């Protein structure tokens, strides 16, 4: 009885996760008249691609998507580049500095991020980085760095210290042992952290709303918000079509690295 119940639970979980995408697809193919119906249906009676045409015609979705992609990729790469060496030091040298750094990571996740909006904007304004993608990348790195550091620290601790000691006995220096022994074992954890950083930056709205003002530099979440009128009334058809298209890059990115992500999550769960 165990195996059928496991498959049933898996099917329920997949349906739960896929419901938003299926509903977006259904809504994006409906006419305004059908969306206003009091008896909604899953399958559109008269499927139409007019919502996709309106969405791409009214807003620069391709440009916004490319800007979001650039911001998300640079934010993810910079976050991992900064967090990886710091995580290694924190995991291997468990002294006072490591405990203080760990406490800083925990404390930084307690306070609501909306509290730092005004100071953050003032800092970016003094650096002349407001309304720029560079400033948004720095904000996203600051936002995701503590949790990425926490994730990578667990992966580093999962790598036995004895492997580095064996490499040093064979004549390898500290840098050589890290590059040749530790780095390949950390690849799954790095991939998992990259995915987390990418998704966090891709979906981020609040900081982008504060930092960016010019429509020519707005990211995809801000562009999607423009489908809502001044009175708060959303145009559901174009909004659903645009939102559905906005999920495709993250789905592709996840599909490419999902095997690495699975092994990375399992490796991070092992206590070293």
């Amino acid at each position: 009885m165990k195996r059928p119940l496991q498959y049933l639970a898996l099917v329920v979980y997949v349906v739960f996760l896929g419901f938003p995408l299926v509903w977006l697809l259904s809504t994006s193919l409906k006419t305004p008249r059908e969306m206003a119906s009091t008896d909604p249906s899953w399958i559109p009676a008269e499927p139409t691609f007019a919502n996709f045409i309106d969405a791409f015609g009214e807003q620069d979705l391709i440009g916004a998507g490319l800007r979001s992609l650039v911001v998300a990729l640079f934010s993810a790469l910079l976050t991992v580049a900064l967090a990886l060496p710091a995580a290694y030091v924190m995991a291997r040298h468990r002294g006072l500095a490591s405990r203080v750094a760990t406490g800083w990571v925990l404390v930084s996740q307690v306070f609501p991020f909306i509290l730092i909006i005004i100071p953050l904007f003032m800092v970016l304004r003094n650096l002349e980085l407001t309304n720029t993608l560079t400033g948004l990348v720095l904000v996203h790195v600051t936002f995701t760095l503590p949790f990425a550091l926490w994730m990578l620290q667990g992966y580093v601790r999962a790598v036995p210290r004895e492997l580095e000691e064996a490499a040093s006995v064979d004549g390898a220096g500290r840098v050589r042992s890290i590059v040749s022994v530790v780095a390949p074992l950390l690849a799954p954890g790095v991939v998992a952290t990259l995915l987390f950083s990418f998704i966090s930056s891709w979906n981020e709205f609040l900081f982008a709303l504060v930092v960016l003002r010019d429509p020519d530099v707005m990211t995809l979440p801000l562009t999607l918000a423009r489908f809502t009128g001044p009175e708060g009334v959303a145009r559901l058809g174009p909004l659903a079509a645009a939102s559905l298209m906005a999920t495709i890059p993250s789905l592709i990115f996840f599909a490419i690295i999902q095997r690495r992500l699975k092994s990375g999550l399992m490796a991070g769960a092992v206590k070293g």
Side-chain angles (χ1 to χ4, degrees):
M1 290 295 296
K2 251 188 184 181
R3 185 57 61 88
L5 290 177
Q6 290 176 348
Y7 281 116
L8 178 61
L10 181 61
V11 169
V12 172
Y13 185 62
V14 170
V15 171
F16 174 76
L17 293 180
F19 173 79
L21 291 177
V22 175
W23 189 254
L24 275 179
L25 177 61
S26 175
T27 305
S28 65
L29 296 176
K30 291 180 179 179
T31 61
R33 183 185 202 175
E34 191 173 358
M35 281 186 286
S37 174
T38 58
D39 186 19
S41 60
W42 284 93
I43 302 176
E46 300 177 359
T48 176
F49 290 97
N51 293 321
F52 291 91
I53 297 175
D54 293 341
F56 281 94
E58 294 177 10
Q59 303 294 338
D60 184 19
L61 294 179
I62 297 179
L66 291 176
R67 289 189 290 271
S68 289
L69 184 62
V70 170
V71 171
L73 285 177
F74 276 94
S75 298
L77 293 175
L78 187 56
T79 298
V80 172
L82 294 175
L84 188 56
Y88 178 83
V89 173
M90 291 173 59
R92 287 293 186 255
H93 304 282
R94 303 182 184 181
L96 177 61
S98 178
R99 290 195 294 270
V100 171
T102 304
W104 167 76
V105 171
L106 295 176
V107 170
S108 65
Q109 300 299 304
V110 173
F111 293 98
F113 289 101
I114 196 172
L115 295 178
I116 66 173
I117 288 294
I118 295 178
L120 186 63
F121 179 80
M122 295 177 64
V123 170
L124 293 177
R125 184 184 61 182
N126 294 334
L127 296 175
E128 298 182 355
L129 290 177
T130 57
N131 202 34
T132 63
L133 297 182
T134 302
L136 186 60
V137 168
L138 295 179
V139 171
H140 286 177
V141 170
T142 306
F143 171 68
T144 57
L145 185 59
F147 192 76
L149 182 60
W150 183 263
M151 288 180 63
L152 287 174
Q153 185 180 358
Y155 296 128
V156 174
R157 287 180 178 176
V159 178
R161 190 189 296 265
E162 289 77 10
L163 294 177
E164 296 181 62
E165 295 175 352
S168 63
V169 169
D170 291 338
R174 173 60 64 89
V175 177
R176 178 64 182 276
S177 62
I178 292 176
V179 173
S180 302
V181 178
V182 179
L185 298 176
L186 288 179
V190 170
V191 171
T193 308
L194 275 174
L195 178 61
F196 163 77
S197 303
F198 180 88
I199 297 298
S200 298
S201 179
W202 178 266
N203 294 328
E204 200 280 318
F205 177 81
L206 180 60
F207 290 132
L209 180 64
V210 174
V211 175
L212 305 178
R213 299 186 305 273
D214 191 347
D216 293 334
V217 296
M218 284 186 176
T219 54
L220 196 54
L222 296 182
T223 304
L224 293 178
R226 295 169 69 90
F227 286 101
T228 302
E231 297 180 357
V233 179
R235 300 183 56 205
L236 291 181
L239 178 59
S243 300
L244 182 64
M245 301 303 297
T247 62
I248 292 178
S250 57
L251 291 177
I252 294 175
F253 188 74
F254 179 81
I256 294 174
I257 67 173
Q258 58 91 15
R259 291 186 178 179
R260 286 283 189 175
L261 175 64
K262 179 181 177 182
S263 59
L265 293 176
M266 293 177 62
V270 179
K271 183 178 180 182

